[in-house]
Amino acid sequence: MSDLLVEVDDLAVHFPIRRGVLLDRTVGHVYAVDGVSLRIERGETYGLVGESGCGKSTLGRALLRLEKPTGGRVVFDGIDLSGMKGEPLRRMRRRMQMVFQDPLASLDPRQSVESLLVEGMRAHGLDKDRASTGKRLRELLDAVGLPPKALRKYPHEFSGGQRQRIGIARALAVGPDLVVADEPVSALDVSVQAQVLNLLEDLQSEYGLTYLVIAHDLAVVRHIADRVGVMYLGGLVEEAGSDSLYAEPLHPYTRALLSAVPVPDPEVEDEREQILLTGDLPSPAAPPPGCRFHTRCPWKQATRCDTEKPQLREIGPGHRVACHYAEDIRSGRLAPRAVSATA
């Protein structure tokens, strides 16, 4: 059995922009995901971060074929999903489940918890008899920290953290290998976020799960992820092991994100790098040429960054970066922290 569970090659998701009532012409595209390649190994947690609108949620949905890719391919456990549809794709989806950002919006308010959990099991032929199904439901609730009496209740009777636990139980009900968690704690109180993250880690150990965790909170990703990918304007700009990325980020955008994370220690706050990005995020319908980050980059190299598109290249073991600045680091022309934002 290969250690590689998910293989994404040059994945693209472009949404058409249409105008006109009668002709309904396509006048352009929104390049939500534009040429992303990544690998997720079996049993690991891959964190995907970036600011709102960068395409990370679209990437997660395209991975499960909830959004149809425009180009590229997704290979799951050696099976190419690109041309799969109908019943074969439906059967494959049992092995790939999703936990959504807003637990209240993703749970049908007219269904009891029992109905919500049984629905997926029944769709995949796992609801064999009442006794075994009841036992399975009680095991699921126990795994996510809810009592058996919760089965008879409805989503509105629970707190936000409890609703997210129900969403996690629903994803686990069909026995998946991969769980895509899209902002799983962003809608929860800070006091509840750590509980849900710890629950995800415990469930991963118990069921041998593989996670793709999508978040904009870098502290959340650092807590749970083995490897981290950073997205900007539809593309992957940096990827590394969690410890490596946080210890020595190489892409200017990653460094700017990390410099914005609050630190409660004032001495550390005074010593660490401060990077303030200028300008607005460009439109994904009209991305800039060359490096897409050059319009906001404090270290832009004249003529090079605004014309040459950097490729995602390996700088060190397991550390990939798409940046001309990082290429200078790799060649030895610059030390990792030799350039300051005010230079």
Side-chain angles (χ1 to χ4, degrees), residues 170-201:
R170 181 177 60 177
L172 297 181
V174 295
D177 297 310
L178 172 70
V179 174
V180 176
D182 186 8
E183 303 273 10
V185 297
S186 65
L188 307 179
D189 293 338
V190 175
S191 59
V192 181
Q193 290 182 3
Q195 297 175 19
V196 173
L197 291 176
N198 290 334
L199 172 64
L200 289 173
E201 288 186 319

PDB file of all heavy atoms in Angstrom, residues 170-201:
ATOM      1  N   ARG A 170     -21.102  12.973  11.476  1.00  0.00           N
ATOM      2  CA  ARG A 170     -21.729  12.666  10.193  1.00  0.00           C
ATOM      3  C   ARG A 170     -20.683  12.297   9.143  1.00  0.00           C
ATOM      4  O   ARG A 170     -20.885  11.371   8.350  1.00  0.00           O
ATOM      5  CB  ARG A 170     -22.551  13.860   9.715  1.00  0.00           C
ATOM      6  CG  ARG A 170     -23.253  13.623   8.386  1.00  0.00           C
ATOM      7  CD  ARG A 170     -24.124  14.796   7.980  1.00  0.00           C
ATOM      8  NE  ARG A 170     -23.366  16.034   7.833  1.00  0.00           N
ATOM      9  CZ  ARG A 170     -23.902  17.192   7.433  1.00  0.00           C
ATOM     10  NH1 ARG A 170     -25.194  17.248   7.173  1.00  0.00           N
ATOM     11  NH2 ARG A 170     -23.162  18.269   7.317  1.00  0.00           N
ATOM     12  N   ALA A 171     -19.552  13.014   9.147  1.00  0.00           N
ATOM     13  CA  ALA A 171     -18.485  12.697   8.200  1.00  0.00           C
ATOM     14  C   ALA A 171     -17.890  11.320   8.467  1.00  0.00           C
ATOM     15  O   ALA A 171     -17.541  10.587   7.541  1.00  0.00           O
ATOM     16  CB  ALA A 171     -17.395  13.776   8.267  1.00  0.00           C
ATOM     17  N   LEU A 172     -17.790  10.952   9.747  1.00  0.00           N
ATOM     18  CA  LEU A 172     -17.185   9.673  10.116  1.00  0.00           C
ATOM     19  C   LEU A 172     -18.128   8.492   9.951  1.00  0.00           C
ATOM     20  O   LEU A 172     -17.681   7.335   9.945  1.00  0.00           O
ATOM     21  CB  LEU A 172     -16.707   9.721  11.566  1.00  0.00           C
ATOM     22  CG  LEU A 172     -15.619  10.732  11.918  1.00  0.00           C
ATOM     23  CD1 LEU A 172     -15.246  10.615  13.387  1.00  0.00           C
ATOM     24  CD2 LEU A 172     -14.391  10.536  11.041  1.00  0.00           C
ATOM     25  N   ALA A 173     -19.424   8.756   9.810  1.00  0.00           N
ATOM     26  CA  ALA A 173     -20.431   7.692   9.814  1.00  0.00           C
ATOM     27  C   ALA A 173     -20.214   6.669   8.708  1.00  0.00           C
ATOM     28  O   ALA A 173     -20.547   5.491   8.866  1.00  0.00           O
ATOM     29  CB  ALA A 173     -21.827   8.294   9.706  1.00  0.00           C
ATOM     30  N   VAL A 174     -19.651   7.084   7.574  1.00  0.00           N
ATOM     31  CA  VAL A 174     -19.485   6.171   6.438  1.00  0.00           C
ATOM     32  C   VAL A 174     -18.068   5.593   6.366  1.00  0.00           C
ATOM     33  O   VAL A 174     -17.722   4.908   5.396  1.00  0.00           O
ATOM     34  CB  VAL A 174     -19.840   6.877   5.112  1.00  0.00           C
ATOM     35  CG1 VAL A 174     -21.314   7.233   5.090  1.00  0.00           C
ATOM     36  CG2 VAL A 174     -18.996   8.131   4.912  1.00  0.00           C
ATOM     37  N   GLY A 175     -17.231   5.870   7.369  1.00  0.00           N
ATOM     38  CA  GLY A 175     -15.891   5.298   7.423  1.00  0.00           C
ATOM     39  C   GLY A 175     -14.934   5.822   6.373  1.00  0.00           C
ATOM     40  O   GLY A 175     -14.348   5.043   5.620  1.00  0.00           O
ATOM     41  N   PRO A 176     -14.731   7.147   6.283  1.00  0.00           N
ATOM     42  CA  PRO A 176     -13.858   7.705   5.234  1.00  0.00           C
ATOM     43  C   PRO A 176     -12.372   7.512   5.536  1.00  0.00           C
ATOM     44  O   PRO A 176     -11.980   7.237   6.670  1.00  0.00           O
ATOM     45  CB  PRO A 176     -14.220   9.194   5.263  1.00  0.00           C
ATOM     46  CG  PRO A 176     -14.569   9.455   6.698  1.00  0.00           C
ATOM     47  CD  PRO A 176     -15.261   8.200   7.170  1.00  0.00           C
ATOM     48  N   ASP A 177     -11.568   7.666   4.483  1.00  0.00           N
ATOM     49  CA  ASP A 177     -10.115   7.698   4.634  1.00  0.00           C
ATOM     50  C   ASP A 177      -9.615   9.144   4.722  1.00  0.00           C
ATOM     51  O   ASP A 177      -8.668   9.437   5.432  1.00  0.00           O
ATOM     52  CB  ASP A 177      -9.439   7.005   3.443  1.00  0.00           C
ATOM     53  CG  ASP A 177      -9.795   5.537   3.343  1.00  0.00           C
ATOM     54  OD1 ASP A 177      -9.680   4.846   4.364  1.00  0.00           O
ATOM     55  OD2 ASP A 177     -10.201   5.094   2.259  1.00  0.00           O
ATOM     56  N   LEU A 178     -10.264  10.033   3.960  1.00  0.00           N
ATOM     57  CA  LEU A 178      -9.873  11.443   3.898  1.00  0.00           C
ATOM     58  C   LEU A 178     -11.020  12.313   4.387  1.00  0.00           C
ATOM     59  O   LEU A 178     -12.171  12.119   3.985  1.00  0.00           O
ATOM     60  CB  LEU A 178      -9.515  11.840   2.467  1.00  0.00           C
ATOM     61  CG  LEU A 178      -9.278  13.335   2.202  1.00  0.00           C
ATOM     62  CD1 LEU A 178      -7.975  13.801   2.851  1.00  0.00           C
ATOM     63  CD2 LEU A 178      -9.257  13.627   0.697  1.00  0.00           C
ATOM     64  N   VAL A 179     -10.708  13.275   5.256  1.00  0.00           N
ATOM     65  CA  VAL A 179     -11.691  14.261   5.705  1.00  0.00           C
ATOM     66  C   VAL A 179     -11.154  15.650   5.368  1.00  0.00           C
ATOM     67  O   VAL A 179     -10.049  16.012   5.795  1.00  0.00           O
ATOM     68  CB  VAL A 179     -11.965  14.164   7.215  1.00  0.00           C
ATOM     69  CG1 VAL A 179     -12.882  15.304   7.668  1.00  0.00           C
ATOM     70  CG2 VAL A 179     -12.604  12.819   7.560  1.00  0.00           C
ATOM     71  N   VAL A 180     -11.914  16.396   4.583  1.00  0.00           N
ATOM     72  CA  VAL A 180     -11.585  17.795   4.284  1.00  0.00           C
ATOM     73  C   VAL A 180     -12.346  18.658   5.280  1.00  0.00           C
ATOM     74  O   VAL A 180     -13.585  18.680   5.267  1.00  0.00           O
ATOM     75  CB  VAL A 180     -11.964  18.159   2.838  1.00  0.00           C
ATOM     76  CG1 VAL A 180     -11.692  19.643   2.585  1.00  0.00           C
ATOM     77  CG2 VAL A 180     -11.190  17.305   1.849  1.00  0.00           C
ATOM     78  N   ALA A 181     -11.626  19.344   6.147  1.00  0.00           N
ATOM     79  CA  ALA A 181     -12.243  20.200   7.168  1.00  0.00           C
ATOM     80  C   ALA A 181     -12.068  21.656   6.740  1.00  0.00           C
ATOM     81  O   ALA A 181     -10.956  22.196   6.806  1.00  0.00           O
ATOM     82  CB  ALA A 181     -11.604  19.948   8.527  1.00  0.00           C
ATOM     83  N   ASP A 182     -13.155  22.265   6.293  1.00  0.00           N
ATOM     84  CA  ASP A 182     -13.108  23.637   5.787  1.00  0.00           C
ATOM     85  C   ASP A 182     -13.409  24.616   6.913  1.00  0.00           C
ATOM     86  O   ASP A 182     -14.561  24.768   7.321  1.00  0.00           O
ATOM     87  CB  ASP A 182     -14.123  23.794   4.646  1.00  0.00           C
ATOM     88  CG  ASP A 182     -14.036  25.157   3.970  1.00  0.00           C
ATOM     89  OD1 ASP A 182     -13.099  25.921   4.282  1.00  0.00           O
ATOM     90  OD2 ASP A 182     -14.903  25.458   3.123  1.00  0.00           O
ATOM     91  N   GLU A 183     -12.377  25.275   7.408  1.00  0.00           N
ATOM     92  CA  GLU A 183     -12.518  26.229   8.517  1.00  0.00           C
ATOM     93  C   GLU A 183     -13.328  25.598   9.658  1.00  0.00           C
ATOM     94  O   GLU A 183     -14.375  26.141  10.065  1.00  0.00           O
ATOM     95  CB  GLU A 183     -13.207  27.515   8.036  1.00  0.00           C
ATOM     96  CG  GLU A 183     -12.510  28.220   6.891  1.00  0.00           C
ATOM     97  CD  GLU A 183     -11.435  29.187   7.368  1.00  0.00           C
ATOM     98  OE1 GLU A 183     -11.113  29.161   8.562  1.00  0.00           O
ATOM     99  OE2 GLU A 183     -10.922  29.942   6.531  1.00  0.00           O
ATOM    100  N   PRO A 184     -12.893  24.471  10.205  1.00  0.00           N
ATOM    101  CA  PRO A 184     -13.737  23.726  11.148  1.00  0.00           C
ATOM    102  C   PRO A 184     -13.991  24.425  12.474  1.00  0.00           C
ATOM    103  O   PRO A 184     -14.927  24.050  13.189  1.00  0.00           O
ATOM    104  CB  PRO A 184     -12.955  22.426  11.359  1.00  0.00           C
ATOM    105  CG  PRO A 184     -11.533  22.801  11.086  1.00  0.00           C
ATOM    106  CD  PRO A 184     -11.591  23.822   9.994  1.00  0.00           C
ATOM    107  N   VAL A 185     -13.175  25.431  12.833  1.00  0.00           N
ATOM    108  CA  VAL A 185     -13.367  26.075  14.134  1.00  0.00           C
ATOM    109  C   VAL A 185     -13.554  27.585  14.028  1.00  0.00           C
ATOM    110  O   VAL A 185     -13.688  28.259  15.051  1.00  0.00           O
ATOM    111  CB  VAL A 185     -12.177  25.775  15.082  1.00  0.00           C
ATOM    112  CG1 VAL A 185     -12.077  24.291  15.373  1.00  0.00           C
ATOM    113  CG2 VAL A 185     -10.865  26.291  14.513  1.00  0.00           C
ATOM    114  N   SER A 186     -13.587  28.140  12.815  1.00  0.00           N
ATOM    115  CA  SER A 186     -13.648  29.601  12.681  1.00  0.00           C
ATOM    116  C   SER A 186     -14.970  30.179  13.169  1.00  0.00           C
ATOM    117  O   SER A 186     -15.032  31.348  13.549  1.00  0.00           O
ATOM    118  CB  SER A 186     -13.410  30.007  11.223  1.00  0.00           C
ATOM    119  OG  SER A 186     -14.449  29.524  10.397  1.00  0.00           O
ATOM    120  N   ALA A 187     -16.055  29.370  13.155  1.00  0.00           N
ATOM    121  CA  ALA A 187     -17.365  29.861  13.601  1.00  0.00           C
ATOM    122  C   ALA A 187     -17.599  29.611  15.091  1.00  0.00           C
ATOM    123  O   ALA A 187     -18.691  29.883  15.592  1.00  0.00           O
ATOM    124  CB  ALA A 187     -18.471  29.200  12.782  1.00  0.00           C
ATOM    125  N   LEU A 188     -16.569  29.127  15.800  1.00  0.00           N
ATOM    126  CA  LEU A 188     -16.732  28.750  17.205  1.00  0.00           C
ATOM    127  C   LEU A 188     -16.031  29.738  18.128  1.00  0.00           C
ATOM    128  O   LEU A 188     -15.099  30.443  17.715  1.00  0.00           O
ATOM    129  CB  LEU A 188     -16.154  27.346  17.440  1.00  0.00           C
ATOM    130  CG  LEU A 188     -16.666  26.232  16.522  1.00  0.00           C
ATOM    131  CD1 LEU A 188     -15.983  24.924  16.860  1.00  0.00           C
ATOM    132  CD2 LEU A 188     -18.172  26.099  16.628  1.00  0.00           C
ATOM    133  N   ASP A 189     -16.471  29.780  19.380  1.00  0.00           N
ATOM    134  CA  ASP A 189     -15.793  30.585  20.385  1.00  0.00           C
ATOM    135  C   ASP A 189     -14.368  30.074  20.581  1.00  0.00           C
ATOM    136  O   ASP A 189     -14.086  28.873  20.414  1.00  0.00           O
ATOM    137  CB  ASP A 189     -16.540  30.515  21.723  1.00  0.00           C
ATOM    138  CG  ASP A 189     -17.907  31.177  21.647  1.00  0.00           C
ATOM    139  OD1 ASP A 189     -18.098  32.022  20.761  1.00  0.00           O
ATOM    140  OD2 ASP A 189     -18.778  30.833  22.468  1.00  0.00           O
ATOM    141  N   VAL A 190     -13.480  30.983  20.969  1.00  0.00           N
ATOM    142  CA  VAL A 190     -12.078  30.616  21.160  1.00  0.00           C
ATOM    143  C   VAL A 190     -11.941  29.499  22.192  1.00  0.00           C
ATOM    144  O   VAL A 190     -11.118  28.593  22.045  1.00  0.00           O
ATOM    145  CB  VAL A 190     -11.262  31.852  21.586  1.00  0.00           C
ATOM    146  CG1 VAL A 190      -9.822  31.451  21.912  1.00  0.00           C
ATOM    147  CG2 VAL A 190     -11.271  32.903  20.482  1.00  0.00           C
ATOM    148  N   SER A 191     -12.763  29.534  23.223  1.00  0.00           N
ATOM    149  CA  SER A 191     -12.675  28.528  24.285  1.00  0.00           C
ATOM    150  C   SER A 191     -13.052  27.134  23.786  1.00  0.00           C
ATOM    151  O   SER A 191     -12.642  26.129  24.362  1.00  0.00           O
ATOM    152  CB  SER A 191     -13.595  28.921  25.452  1.00  0.00           C
ATOM    153  OG  SER A 191     -14.942  29.028  25.023  1.00  0.00           O
ATOM    154  N   VAL A 192     -13.829  27.077  22.697  1.00  0.00           N
ATOM    155  CA  VAL A 192     -14.289  25.796  22.163  1.00  0.00           C
ATOM    156  C   VAL A 192     -13.365  25.292  21.046  1.00  0.00           C
ATOM    157  O   VAL A 192     -13.295  24.093  20.780  1.00  0.00           O
ATOM    158  CB  VAL A 192     -15.735  25.929  21.637  1.00  0.00           C
ATOM    159  CG1 VAL A 192     -16.260  24.610  21.096  1.00  0.00           C
ATOM    160  CG2 VAL A 192     -16.656  26.443  22.741  1.00  0.00           C
ATOM    161  N   GLN A 193     -12.636  26.212  20.412  1.00  0.00           N
ATOM    162  CA  GLN A 193     -11.806  25.832  19.275  1.00  0.00           C
ATOM    163  C   GLN A 193     -10.782  24.752  19.637  1.00  0.00           C
ATOM    164  O   GLN A 193     -10.612  23.769  18.908  1.00  0.00           O
ATOM    165  CB  GLN A 193     -11.093  27.065  18.714  1.00  0.00           C
ATOM    166  CG  GLN A 193     -12.020  28.040  18.020  1.00  0.00           C
ATOM    167  CD  GLN A 193     -11.271  29.222  17.430  1.00  0.00           C
ATOM    168  OE1 GLN A 193     -10.046  29.309  17.484  1.00  0.00           O
ATOM    169  NE2 GLN A 193     -12.014  30.149  16.848  1.00  0.00           N
ATOM    170  N   ALA A 194     -10.098  24.933  20.763  1.00  0.00           N
ATOM    171  CA  ALA A 194      -9.081  23.961  21.164  1.00  0.00           C
ATOM    172  C   ALA A 194      -9.692  22.589  21.421  1.00  0.00           C
ATOM    173  O   ALA A 194      -9.084  21.564  21.093  1.00  0.00           O
ATOM    174  CB  ALA A 194      -8.344  24.458  22.406  1.00  0.00           C
ATOM    175  N   GLN A 195     -10.896  22.564  21.973  1.00  0.00           N
ATOM    176  CA  GLN A 195     -11.560  21.283  22.228  1.00  0.00           C
ATOM    177  C   GLN A 195     -11.829  20.532  20.923  1.00  0.00           C
ATOM    178  O   GLN A 195     -11.592  19.322  20.831  1.00  0.00           O
ATOM    179  CB  GLN A 195     -12.884  21.520  22.962  1.00  0.00           C
ATOM    180  CG  GLN A 195     -12.733  22.158  24.335  1.00  0.00           C
ATOM    181  CD  GLN A 195     -14.092  22.477  24.954  1.00  0.00           C
ATOM    182  OE1 GLN A 195     -15.112  21.926  24.556  1.00  0.00           O
ATOM    183  NE2 GLN A 195     -14.109  23.384  25.917  1.00  0.00           N
ATOM    184  N   VAL A 196     -12.303  21.244  19.904  1.00  0.00           N
ATOM    185  CA  VAL A 196     -12.612  20.609  18.627  1.00  0.00           C
ATOM    186  C   VAL A 196     -11.328  20.166  17.928  1.00  0.00           C
ATOM    187  O   VAL A 196     -11.267  19.081  17.332  1.00  0.00           O
ATOM    188  CB  VAL A 196     -13.429  21.561  17.737  1.00  0.00           C
ATOM    189  CG1 VAL A 196     -13.624  20.977  16.339  1.00  0.00           C
ATOM    190  CG2 VAL A 196     -14.780  21.848  18.376  1.00  0.00           C
ATOM    191  N   LEU A 197     -10.280  20.976  17.999  1.00  0.00           N
ATOM    192  CA  LEU A 197      -9.007  20.590  17.388  1.00  0.00           C
ATOM    193  C   LEU A 197      -8.419  19.349  18.053  1.00  0.00           C
ATOM    194  O   LEU A 197      -7.919  18.436  17.374  1.00  0.00           O
ATOM    195  CB  LEU A 197      -8.012  21.751  17.479  1.00  0.00           C
ATOM    196  CG  LEU A 197      -8.320  22.982  16.618  1.00  0.00           C
ATOM    197  CD1 LEU A 197      -7.320  24.086  16.887  1.00  0.00           C
ATOM    198  CD2 LEU A 197      -8.331  22.619  15.138  1.00  0.00           C
ATOM    199  N   ASN A 198      -8.496  19.310  19.371  1.00  0.00           N
ATOM    200  CA  ASN A 198      -8.011  18.128  20.086  1.00  0.00           C
ATOM    201  C   ASN A 198      -8.843  16.896  19.734  1.00  0.00           C
ATOM    202  O   ASN A 198      -8.321  15.780  19.620  1.00  0.00           O
ATOM    203  CB  ASN A 198      -8.039  18.364  21.593  1.00  0.00           C
ATOM    204  CG  ASN A 198      -6.983  19.370  22.042  1.00  0.00           C
ATOM    205  OD1 ASN A 198      -5.960  19.537  21.382  1.00  0.00           O
ATOM    206  ND2 ASN A 198      -7.237  20.041  23.149  1.00  0.00           N
ATOM    207  N   LEU A 199     -10.149  17.109  19.543  1.00  0.00           N
ATOM    208  CA  LEU A 199     -11.026  16.009  19.143  1.00  0.00           C
ATOM    209  C   LEU A 199     -10.611  15.475  17.775  1.00  0.00           C
ATOM    210  O   LEU A 199     -10.543  14.255  17.567  1.00  0.00           O
ATOM    211  CB  LEU A 199     -12.479  16.491  19.105  1.00  0.00           C
ATOM    212  CG  LEU A 199     -13.498  15.510  18.510  1.00  0.00           C
ATOM    213  CD1 LEU A 199     -13.583  14.247  19.363  1.00  0.00           C
ATOM    214  CD2 LEU A 199     -14.869  16.171  18.386  1.00  0.00           C
ATOM    215  N   LEU A 200     -10.328  16.371  16.830  1.00  0.00           N
ATOM    216  CA  LEU A 200      -9.903  15.935  15.501  1.00  0.00           C
ATOM    217  C   LEU A 200      -8.620  15.113  15.570  1.00  0.00           C
ATOM    218  O   LEU A 200      -8.479  14.100  14.866  1.00  0.00           O
ATOM    219  CB  LEU A 200      -9.708  17.155  14.592  1.00  0.00           C
ATOM    220  CG  LEU A 200     -10.977  17.896  14.156  1.00  0.00           C
ATOM    221  CD1 LEU A 200     -10.620  19.173  13.416  1.00  0.00           C
ATOM    222  CD2 LEU A 200     -11.846  17.007  13.272  1.00  0.00           C
ATOM    223  N   GLU A 201      -7.690  15.532  16.419  1.00  0.00           N
ATOM    224  CA  GLU A 201      -6.446  14.782  16.567  1.00  0.00           C
ATOM    225  C   GLU A 201      -6.695  13.404  17.169  1.00  0.00           C
ATOM    226  O   GLU A 201      -6.118  12.405  16.731  1.00  0.00           O
ATOM    227  CB  GLU A 201      -5.466  15.568  17.440  1.00  0.00           C
ATOM    228  CG  GLU A 201      -4.889  16.796  16.749  1.00  0.00           C
ATOM    229  CD  GLU A 201      -3.808  17.469  17.589  1.00  0.00           C
ATOM    230  OE1 GLU A 201      -4.000  17.563  18.815  1.00  0.00           O
ATOM    231  OE2 GLU A 201      -2.790  17.880  17.022  1.00  0.00           O
TER     232      GLU A 201
END
